[in-house]
Amino acid sequence: MEAERAASWAFRFRGLVAAALGAAFGAMALFSPPLFVEAQWERVPLEILGWLVFFAGAGLRFWATLYIGGRKRLVVVSEGPYSVCRNPLYLGTFLIALSVAIILQSLTFLACVLFGAVFYAWATVPAEERYLSRQLGEAYARYCEQVPRFIPRLSNFGTPSTIVVSVRALRLECNRAVRWVMLPVLADLLCRLRAETWWPHWVNLP
């Protein structure tokens, strides 16, 4: 019972907790030097990797929205990305956050991303799945038995020849994407500033 109450509290305040983690770890990362201060060539592979991870996360969220936009609490969606993973939207968000840590060249911010992922895996996703189980019943229970929560099982992939797309949900996701694309750009700018000798390095963390 106590664990249930704690998870419920954590679910209600998940946004606040994520913001607090981001502010605390982000400040430490901001005022610490990047992993590679002077070595220019080491930055290039990290930047490329970061952008690839970002586009993978943004693409996954966009793909998932095509299938589930506006229908999440109405029916069990088990096609497309939802045939290989129960939470592709959360997985896409994790990849976007991970891309920021890579481009920022900060193990400190990477720790923030991992802490946040563990928190959401413990608080948000199980609570949401309990709600969907009550709403959708046996069909959702069978879906959970067949499809993994996070790690994609590619052998499960299946999709119909046509799908119904919610234009409103797609528009909202595109609006979010415009803001997301600023994250790796800002991370790259901050990484370059943190490498400057005049930038305040008040925290000696990687």
Side-chain angles (χ1 to χ4, degrees), residues 54 58 62 171-182:
F54 170 79
F62 188 81
R171 185 173 64 249
L172 290 173
E173 191 66 20
C174 288
N175 289 338
R176 294 190 191 100
V178 172
R179 297 191 294 270
W180 291 340
V181 78
M182 296 307 297

Side-chain angles (χ1 to χ4, degrees), residues 14 51 54-55 57-66 68-73 82 88-90 92-93 96-97 100 128 166-184:
R14 64 193 184 279
W51 277 102
F54 170 79
F55 283 118
L60 182 57
R61 281 197 58 97
F62 188 81
W63 185 30
T65 301
L66 289 176
I68 205 167
R71 299 194 296 154
K72 187 172 186 176
R73 292 170 173 80
Y82 288 90
L89 285 171
Y90 286 130
T93 301
I96 291 173
V100 172
E128 192 169 56
S166 168
V167 175
R168 179 178 180 275
L170 199 58
R171 185 173 64 249
L172 290 173
E173 191 66 20
C174 288
N175 289 338
R176 294 190 191 100
V178 172
R179 297 191 294 270
W180 291 340
V181 78
M182 296 307 297
L183 293 177

Side-chain angles (χ1 to χ4, degrees), residues 116-130:
V118 170
F119 174 79
Y120 267 71
W122 167 69
T124 301
V125 174
E128 192 169 56
E129 289 186 346
R130 285 192 296 272

Side-chain angles (χ1 to χ4, degrees), residues 33-182:
L35 288 176
F36 303 105
V37 178
E38 298 180 357
Q40 296 290 334
W41 285 108
E42 282 82 350
R43 297 181 187 179
V44 175
L46 282 178
E47 288 181 5
I48 294 174
L49 175 62
W51 277 102
L52 289 175
V53 173
F54 170 79
F55 283 118
L60 182 57
R61 281 197 58 97
F62 188 81
W63 185 30
T65 301
L66 289 176
Y67 281 79
I68 205 167
R71 299 194 296 154
K72 187 172 186 176
R73 292 170 173 80
L74 302 177
V75 296
V76 177
V77 178
S78 57
E79 300 89 17
Y82 288 90
S83 64
V84 298
C85 170
R86 300 205 301 266
N87 296 281
L89 285 171
Y90 286 130
L91 182 57
T93 301
F94 169 74
L95 291 176
I96 291 173
L98 181 61
S99 74
V100 172
I102 294 172
I103 295 175
L104 195 59
Q105 291 187 38
S106 173
L107 295 180
T108 302
F109 197 77
L110 176 60
C112 173
V113 173
L114 296 178
F115 275 127
V118 170
F119 174 79
Y120 267 71
W122 167 69
T124 301
V125 174
E128 192 169 56
E129 289 186 346
R130 285 192 296 272
Y131 170 80
L132 292 174
S133 182
R134 290 193 297 269
Q135 289 291 109
L136 303 176
E138 183 62 28
Y140 186 75
R142 289 196 302 270
Y143 170 70
C144 289
E145 291 175 357
Q146 297 167 0
V147 179
R149 177 177 281 173
F150 294 117
I151 307 300
R153 185 181 298 160
L154 299 181
S155 60
N156 278 2
F157 180 75
T159 184
S161 57
T162 59
I163 60 172
V164 176
V165 176
S166 168
V167 175
R168 179 178 180 275
L170 199 58
R171 185 173 64 249
L172 290 173
E173 191 66 20
C174 288
N175 289 338
R176 294 190 191 100
V178 172
R179 297 191 294 270
W180 291 340
V181 78
M182 296 307 297

